[in-house]
Structure formats: structure tokens, C-alpha cells
Amino acid sequence: MTASILVLAALVVLGWSLVRAHRDGRRRFRLAQFRPAAPFAGMLPADRDRERLVAELRALPDSPADIETRLRI
């Protein structure tokens, strides 16, 4: 009986916090992150290609130190 009350209390607190976060606009997850067309795509910024490329080039063992200035993207 005590376990049931604790679980019920936990569910009530969770529901209350979800409703409050939804009303305040502070939701951690957006529905667009879980669309069925692309399940593992997530919400990634579109303008991060240059940073990704620089990180990949820096990982190469023979990359120069000033790789960012040499890119023409």
C-alpha cells in the first residue's frame, strides 16, 4: 500500500512539473525531435558544417595548426 502511494505521488509530481514547464515554455523536448520520418535526426543547427569540418581536419595526425585560416568555405 505504501509503495502504491509513493508511486502515485511520484506520478502526480511528474505530471505537475510537465504541465508547468509546458505553460512556461521551458520544455526540454520538442515534438519535432521525435517525428517518425527521421527518428534519429534530432534538432541540429544547420550552420555547423564548417565547425564539423575543422574538427575532422584537426583530428588528422598531419594537420597544420592554422587549419581554420586555410579553409575557403
Side-chain angles (χ1 to χ4, degrees), residues 27-68:
R27 294 177 288 179
R28 292 178 190 253
F29 300 108
R30 292 179 300 277
L31 190 59
Q33 289 176 299
F34 304 105
R35 61 189 185 272
F40 296 109
M43 297 294 291
L44 301 174
D47 58 344
R48 302 287 299 257
D49 290 336
R50 181 178 174 84
E51 293 177 29
R52 181 193 52 80
L53 182 61
V54 168
E56 288 180 1
L57 290 174
R58 280 188 184 159
L60 296 174
D62 59 343
S63 67
D66 61 342
I67 192 70
E68 293 178 30

Side-chain angles (χ1 to χ4, degrees), residues 1 5-6 9 23 29 36 60:
M1 181 71 177
I5 293 173
L6 289 175
R23 287 183 183 169
F29 300 108
L60 296 174

